[in-house]
Amino acid sequence: MIELKNIKKSFDDKSVIKGIDLSVDKGEVVTFIGRSGSGKTTLLRMINALELPTEGMVYVNGESYNNKDKKSQIKVRKQSGMVFQSYNLFPHKTALENVMEGLITVKKTKKAEAEQQALVLLEKVGLTAVKDQRPNALSGGQQQRVAIARALAMKPKVMLFDEPTSALDPELVNDVLRVIKDLANDGMTMIIVTHEMRFAKEVSNKIVFIHDGIIAEEGPPEQLFNQPKTTELQRFLNMIREV
Ligand SMILES: Nc1ncnc2c1ncn2[C@@H]1O[C@H](COP(=O)(O)OP(=O)(O)OP(=O)(O)O)[C@@H](O)[C@H]1O
Ligand SMILES: [Mg+2]
């Protein structure tokens, strides 16, 4: 479903991603872990062409893009839904209207049909009761679940999450993680960047440890968390266990 072939990325002269190959099968959940600045966000953003690689190829659902061809980038971008740390909802629209927006403007869905689909998605993320509230009347966890419903409305083949719970108060984290787990159980193909290691262990088929722009180690969660091979991963795990 996702294929990365020898991806490299530099910003000006600084090499940030230094040759990454990765494949993610349909229905697989892959979690990126690694230190701040190791390149996790940059790699995720290249998968939906928000960032373009300096070298290498990205394939999502069989589509690939060319750095000079905007249309090919948009085609690849449409294959995935992305959820960021910040929710970026439309402040003057209700939860329901936020989820409907892309259906109406991008998918050209008729309003009544868009509303039906949005209601189903809001129910899925547990927000039926607050569908008519605007973002500032919602908790961070609720806003993030609106953002997830909004991304799902575009019927992506893949979901990409970049630290979806990092901005949340601890008591709100689980509601968001539960929604992501439900998606995993539904068979959604996903890549998740997270510091929630227990969650990563539970939900992931594969953990990818990114260190200094390369995949330093990858494998099933039990293997990576319990028997790390590289000193870099051992150090990283010790560091996060101390916090
Ligand atoms: N637009 C940009 N211009 C220049 N440098 C950038 C840009 N985006 C990222 N970088 C650099 O690329 C490196 C990797 O950044 P990236 O955001 O991918 O790391 P990360 O693993 O997501 O970190 P974190 O855990 O803090 O989110 C960093 O050194 C960062 O400063
Ligand atoms: Mg990041």
Side-chain angles (χ1 to χ4, degrees):
M1 184 59 85
I2 302 170
E3 199 83 46
L4 306 181
K5 294 215 185 285
N6 195 26
I7 296 293
K8 296 182 185 168
K9 173 73 181 175
S10 303
F11 291 107
D12 303 320
D13 281 347
K14 191 178 164 208
S15 163
V16 170
I17 300 291
K18 302 174 181 172
I20 282 189
D21 292 276
L22 179 73
S23 64
V24 180
D25 292 339
K26 191 167 186 288
E28 248 189 334
V29 178
V30 172
T31 298
F32 291 171
I33 62 172
R35 281 172 38 182
S36 181
S38 57
K40 305 178 296 295
T41 295
T42 305
L43 193 58
L44 205 63
R45 288 168 64 85
M46 287 192 282
I47 296 170
N48 72 353
L50 283 175
E51 210 71 78
L52 303 177
T54 319
E55 263 183 62
M57 294 293 287
V58 172
Y59 298 86
V60 186
N61 193 29
E63 305 283 350
S64 67
Y65 62 82
N66 180 307
N67 284 9
K68 295 197 182 82
D69 178 4
K70 261 250 151 337
K71 270 194 187 153
S72 70
Q73 294 161 22
I74 290 165
K75 210 166 177 186
V76 168
R77 190 166 306 143
K78 282 187 173 161
Q79 308 301 318
S80 61
M82 185 136 179
V83 174
F84 306 89
Q85 189 175 324
S86 55
Y87 338 110
N88 304 323
L89 301 175
F90 296 107
H92 299 298
K93 290 184 187 290
T94 65
L96 182 65
E97 288 164 349
N98 265 282
V99 180
M100 288 167 63
E101 179 67 20
L103 284 168
I104 292 169
T105 59
V106 182
K107 293 250 180 205
K108 312 292 179 206
T109 309
K110 292 220 169 63
K111 201 170 168 214
E113 171 61 23
E115 183 168 338
Q116 277 316 308
Q117 292 183 24
L119 285 170
V120 171
L121 288 166
L122 283 172
E123 161 129 50
K124 194 178 166 63
V125 300
L127 292 179
T128 305
V130 295
K131 68 182 173 58
D132 297 321
Q133 304 282 353
R134 292 194 176 148
N136 65 6
L138 301 174
S139 74
Q142 289 172 327
Q143 290 183 57
Q144 188 59 299
R145 284 182 282 151
V146 174
I148 293 171
R150 180 181 58 177
L152 290 172
M154 307 312 286
K155 302 182 185 68
K157 291 285 188 279
V158 168
M159 283 290 285
L160 307 172
F161 292 90
D162 192 2
E163 302 199 32
T165 61
S166 310
L168 300 178
D169 292 334
E171 71 272 21
L172 303 177
V173 166
N174 278 335
D175 291 337
V176 173
L177 296 184
R178 185 161 315 118
V179 167
I180 300 175
K181 259 187 217 169
D182 286 346
L183 284 175
N185 290 333
D186 291 348
M188 178 62 86
T189 310
M190 298 194 276
I191 300 183
I192 306 169
V193 178
T194 185
H195 295 291
E196 300 282 344
M197 293 300 152
R198 188 186 302 169
F199 167 72
K201 221 181 248 187
E202 284 170 16
V203 80
S204 315
N205 304 99
K206 182 156 81 179
I207 307 285
V208 170
F209 172 57
I210 299 175
H211 183 79
D212 197 16
I214 60 156
I215 296 180
E217 207 167 328
E218 65 181 299
E222 308 76 44
Q223 183 189 316
L224 255 81
F225 288 120
N226 301 338
Q227 292 151 336
K229 292 195 188 86
T230 57
T231 46
E232 287 80 11
L233 179 55
Q234 287 162 7
R235 273 199 208 125
F236 174 74
L237 292 174
N238 284 335
M239 188 176 76
I240 56 173
R241 270 168 198 148
E242 277 161 22
V243 233

